[in-house]
Amino acid sequence: PYLDLNVPPAELRPSATLTIGQCFHWRVIEPNDHPTTTLPTSAWGTHDSTEWIGIVRISNSNHSDAHSIVVSLQETPDTTLYRVLHAPPRPLVNNAERILHDYFQLDTPLEPLYQEWSQADSIRLSKIAECIPGVRIVNQDPWECLVSFLCSSNNNIPRITKMLKAIRETYGTPLVTIGQDTLYSFPSCEELRNRATEQDLRDIGMGYRAKYLIQTMETLAELGGEAYLHTLRETRDANVVQEALMQFCGVGRKVADCVALFSLRQGDAIPIDVHVWNIARRDYDNEGVLVGVKSMTPTIYKQTASLFQSRFKRYAGWAHSLLFVAELPSFRAVLPQSVIDEMEKFREIEQKKKTAAREAKRAEKEGEKRHLT
């Protein structure tokens, strides 16, 4: 039977939290998926669905105690329901609600934050907040999160999900079989380090990222293993956490901020990709700090992040994620037309700038050829 998390839509909507690319261990369940069919591979873009199955890894500073629960979540118009499908040992079953509370950070009230952010941006975010409630940042296992975003380099959500699934199935422990699919735990750093070579990881589809992961595991082992990542949760300065994570091979500022925000309780971390960069330039760069910028230097990255942090005083990373969700095509249907029109207008202006830049570059090259002849 399903149990009630007793959390209203304003505080949590799995459809706007699990489906946006901050975590990769959930799968959507469609009505015809029960009980014998193969599960879809990803929750990405499934905002119209109402049920998901996920593997939540629970660890602490003593990573040898890491374990996993498998849960089904069901979104209803009034609340979120959950059902435990696998949980070792027995006491964990009774703690499943507490585990999910921690995972979704339900101890942090979301509705007051929505109100604060809406007051800080009454022009755009307030409109988005009205139509996309319950967007939360998860507090996932930091080791799994680090590996997940190492896989994200030059990649898309389905391929990232496929890579992580291959790691689980090759090096994890079987947890439960649902229909035709067996779900596996995520291996610990120690387990993966002891068993996987770079070639092994390439063989399961990691590509050049295999080298990153091998070197990252060595560095993490030298720092004390997974326990080191948990110590970063105690750091209150997101910039310090960013720098600490960038010591791992393949981790740049964006990946570091993803790991910090989605697993280390760094609520003010701002991962900056092209969507966030465009949001900053379009909606918050009132003083023109980013005008004419052509590359993302460390200084520009920090200035871009500060545009969000200075406006949204508390949990700026959560606010930035709400704005990010509105940029996703899967959520466009719920947005007010005025917000869509602003997005389209900006896109058209940007396209014209790119076209003009290409034409100017072409004309410059033709002029150089004429000069040479």
Side-chain angles (χ1 to χ4, degrees), residues 218-236:
E218 291 302 316
T219 302
L220 187 57
E222 292 171 1
L223 292 169
E226 292 181 40
Y228 171 76
L229 297 176
H230 286 271
T231 65
L232 298 179
R233 281 183 171 165
E234 307 306 317
T235 304
R236 297 273 66 89

Side-chain angles (χ1 to χ4, degrees), residues 146-180:
L146 176 59
V147 177
S148 298
F149 284 96
L150 277 175
C151 292
S152 71
S153 173
N154 296 316
N155 218 343
N156 57 48
I157 303 294
R159 287 193 64 219
I160 296 168
T161 305
K162 184 178 179 181
M163 287 179 182
L164 296 170
K165 182 172 183 283
I167 291 175
R168 288 191 191 93
E169 292 180 349
T170 306
Y171 301 104
T173 301
L175 300 174
V176 64
T177 298
I178 301 172
Q180 300 174 17

Side-chain angles (χ1 to χ4, degrees), residues 11-12 17 22 104-106 108-110 134-138 318:
E11 290 296 324
L12 173 65
T17 298
Q22 62 170 317
F104 288 113
Q105 305 193 70
L106 295 178
T108 300
L110 185 60
V135 177
R136 277 191 171 271
I137 297 302
V138 300
W318 292 37

Side-chain angles (χ1 to χ4, degrees), residues 1 58 70 95 153 160 241 243 248 263 325 341 353:
I58 308 109
V70 181
N95 289 333
S153 173
I160 296 168
V241 174
E243 293 295 331
F248 297 112
S263 71
V325 169
D341 290 344
K353 288 181 180 178

Side-chain angles (χ1 to χ4, degrees), residues 1 17 88 123 161 172 197 230 240 261 332 349 353:
T17 298
I123 296 175
T161 305
T197 66
H230 286 271
V240 171
L261 180 61
R332 179 158 296 198
I349 293 173
K353 288 181 180 178

